[in-house]
C-alpha cells in the first residue's frame, strides 16, 4: 500500500504540474512495481489517470482558463476511439502490448525534451476564436488518436494534446494544460467503460492507495504550477520515462511470463 501511494504521488505531481506525461508511468508501475497483470493494470491506470486529471482541473476552473468547447471536440473524438483501442488491445499478447507501450513512452519523452512550444494559432481567427471549418478534421484526428492510445494502453495522452492545442489552436500553455486535463478526464472515463469487463478483477486496495495519493498530489501541485521550473522538471521527467521504457522493453522480451 505504501509503495502504491508512492507511485501515485509521483504521477499526481507530474500531472498537476505539467498536465501531461505523468500517467504514462502508471501501467509500468502497476505491472512491475505492484505485480498486477497487464489486463488489470490498464483499467486500474485509467481510474487513477482520470481522477488525478480531474483533480488537476479543479484549481484551474477557478482561474477560468479551461476551454470547454475545445475540450468537447477533442473529448468527443477520443471517447469513441477508446473502444477501438481497447478492442485492438484484446487481440494482441501482453508482451506485444508492452513493447508497443515502450515505443509510446519514448515518443512521449522525446516530445517533453523538445520543451514548450510557442502558440502559433494555425486554426485561430480574430478575437481568439477557432476556425473549425478548416481545423475540425485535424482536431478530430488528434482527439481520436489520443483516445485510441487511452483505450489501448491506459494512458492519458496529454503529451499529444498539449502541443496540438498550442500549435493548432493557439492556446497559451496554461490554457492548453488545463484543457488537456479535462480531455484526459473524458477519455479516461470512456476508456474505463471500454475495459469494463476487467473492472471486477481489480485489486481495489491497490487502486485506492494509488488513486488517492495521485489525486491529492495532482490537486496540490496544480496550485503550484506557476511557481516551479517546469522546463527543468519536464526534462528530468523525460529522462526517467526513457529509462522506464528501456526497462519495460527488456522485461517484456526476457520475462514475458511475468505479465499475466
Amino acid at each position: 500500500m505504501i509503495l502504491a501511494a508512492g507511485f501515485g504521488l509521483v504521477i499526481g505531481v507530474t500531472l498537476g504540474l505539467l498536465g501531461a506525461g505523468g500517467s504514462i508511468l502508471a501501467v509500468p508501475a502497476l505491472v512491475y512495481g505492484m505485480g498486477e497483470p497487464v489486463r488489470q493494470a490498464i483499467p486500474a491506470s485509467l481510474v487513477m489517470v482520470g481522477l488525478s486529471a480531474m483533480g488537476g482541473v479543479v484549481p484551474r476552473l477557478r482561474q477560468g482558463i479551461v476551454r470547454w468547447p475545445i475540450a468537447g471536440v477533442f473529448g468527443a473524438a477520443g471517447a469513441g476511439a477508446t473502444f477501438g483501442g481497447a478492442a485492438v488491445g484484446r487481440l494482441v499478447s501482453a508482451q506485444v502490448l508492452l513493447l508497443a507501450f515502450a515505443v509510446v513512452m519514448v515518443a512521449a519523452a522525446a516530445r517533453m525534451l523538445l520543451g514548450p512550444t510557442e502558440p502559433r494559432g494555425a486554426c485561430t481567427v480574430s478575437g481568439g476564436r477557432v476556425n473549425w471549418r478548416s481545423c475540425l478534421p485535424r482536431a478530430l484526428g488528434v482527439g481520436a488518436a489520443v483516445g485510441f492510445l487511452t483505450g489501448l494502453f491506459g494512458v492519458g495522452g496529454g503529451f499529444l494534446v498539449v502541443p496540438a492545442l498550442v500549435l493548432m489552436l493557439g492556446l497559451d500553455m496554461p490554457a492548453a494544460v488545463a484543457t488537456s486535463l479535462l480531455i484526459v478526464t473524458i477519455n479516461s472515463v470512456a476508456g474505463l467503460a471500454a475495459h469494463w469487463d476487467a473492472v471486477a478483477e481489480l485489486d481495489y486496495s491497490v487502486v485506492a492507495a494509488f488513486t488517492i495519493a495521485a489525486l491529492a498530489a495532482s490537486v496540490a501541485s496544480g496550485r503550484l504550477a506557476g511557481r516551479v521550473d517546469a522546463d527543468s522538471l519536464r526534462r528530468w521527467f523525460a529522462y526517467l520515462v526513457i529509462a522506464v521504457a528501456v526497462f519495460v522493453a527488456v522485461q517484456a522480451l526476457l520475462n514475458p511470463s511475468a505479465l499475466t
Side-chain angles (χ1 to χ4, degrees):
M1 296 290 287
I2 294 174
L3 188 60
F7 285 130
L9 286 173
V10 172
I11 292 168
V13 167
T14 53
L15 268 174
L17 292 177
L18 303 178
S23 62
I24 206 163
L25 292 183
V27 169
L30 288 165
V31 172
Y32 295 110
M34 307 304 302
E36 296 289 315
V38 175
R39 304 299 179 186
Q40 280 73 57
I42 290 175
S45 170
L46 288 169
V47 173
M48 185 279 300
V49 169
L51 288 177
S52 56
M54 186 185 302
V57 170
V58 170
R60 292 170 169 91
L61 291 176
R62 300 173 184 173
Q63 302 169 19
I65 57 176
V66 177
R67 303 295 178 85
W68 293 90
I70 294 172
V73 170
F74 276 76
T82 57
F83 288 86
V88 171
R90 295 186 183 97
L91 300 177
V92 300
S93 67
Q95 182 186 41
V96 171
L97 200 61
L98 278 190
L99 287 173
F101 186 70
V103 174
V104 171
M105 292 180 73
V106 172
R111 174 60 257 176
M112 292 179 214
L113 289 174
L114 289 176
T117 49
E118 293 296 326
R120 296 182 188 173
C123 296
T124 56
V125 294
S126 60
R129 292 177 291 112
V130 176
N131 182 4
W132 289 117
R133 178 175 296 180
S134 62
C135 288
L136 184 60
R138 278 185 280 176
L140 292 175
V142 175
V146 171
F148 184 84
L149 292 178
T150 300
L152 184 61
F153 299 122
V155 300
F159 66 94
L160 288 176
V161 175
V162 171
L165 295 177
V166 172
L167 296 176
M168 287 173 47
L169 304 183
L171 272 62
D172 56 42
M173 190 56 68
V177 169
T179 306
S180 169
L181 287 168
L182 181 56
I183 294 168
V184 168
T185 302
I186 295 170
N187 284 343
S188 297
V189 172
L192 193 59
H195 287 278
W196 193 252
D197 57 327
V199 170
E201 303 174 20
L202 296 181
D203 185 337
Y204 286 101
S205 60
V206 170
V207 172
F210 214 112
T211 303
I212 291 170
L215 179 59
S218 180
V219 172
S221 59
R223 296 173 179 172
L224 302 174
R227 308 176 192 175
V228 299
D229 184 358
D231 291 341
S232 179
L233 174 63
R234 185 181 293 104
R235 184 170 60 254
W236 284 106
F237 184 72
Y239 296 145
L240 173 62
V241 170
I242 291 172
V244 174
V246 172
F247 174 80
V248 168
V250 170
Q251 287 295 313
L253 288 170
L254 300 183
N255 191 22
S257 60
L259 304 178
T260 52

